[in-house]
């Protein structure tokens, strides 16, 4: 899977987990968070800063990462390439 983040044009590719890991690696203020915690943090950040509400259900890390990437695409924070 390949996506482009609309905020900065960055292109990320891989599995949903790999994409979310790459986003986590470049996020300011998200150091020390697990991947699942990062997803929650990113959803809170999107709501607070961009008024975009991403609802990600509980589940495995793989399920949550896939749901997060899908929600970003659906909300037009990212585009599937």
């Amino acid at each position: 899977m390949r996506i482009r983040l609309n905020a900065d044009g960055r292109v990320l590719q891989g599995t949903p987990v790999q994409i979310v890991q790459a986003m986590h690696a470049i996020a300011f203020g998200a150091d020390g968070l697990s991947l699942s915690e990062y997803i929650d943090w990113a959803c809170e950040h999107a709501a607070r800063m961009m008024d975009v509400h991403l609802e990600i259900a509980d589940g495995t890390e793989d399920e949550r990462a896939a749901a997060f990437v899908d929600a970003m695409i659906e909300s037009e924070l990212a585009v599937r390439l």
Side-chain angles (χ1 to χ4, degrees), residues 23-66:
M23 293 172 62
H24 184 198
I26 60 174
F28 295 108
D31 297 337
L33 299 177
S34 69
L35 196 63
S36 188
E37 290 169 334
Y38 167 73
I39 291 169
D40 293 336
W41 177 89
C43 290
E44 292 169 10
H45 181 77
R48 187 174 57 252
M49 302 299 287
M50 297 171 271
D51 200 29
V52 175
H53 300 280
L54 307 174
E55 296 293 327
I56 309 302
D58 289 336
T60 67
E61 192 173 85
D62 289 346
E63 292 167 340
R64 295 196 80 221

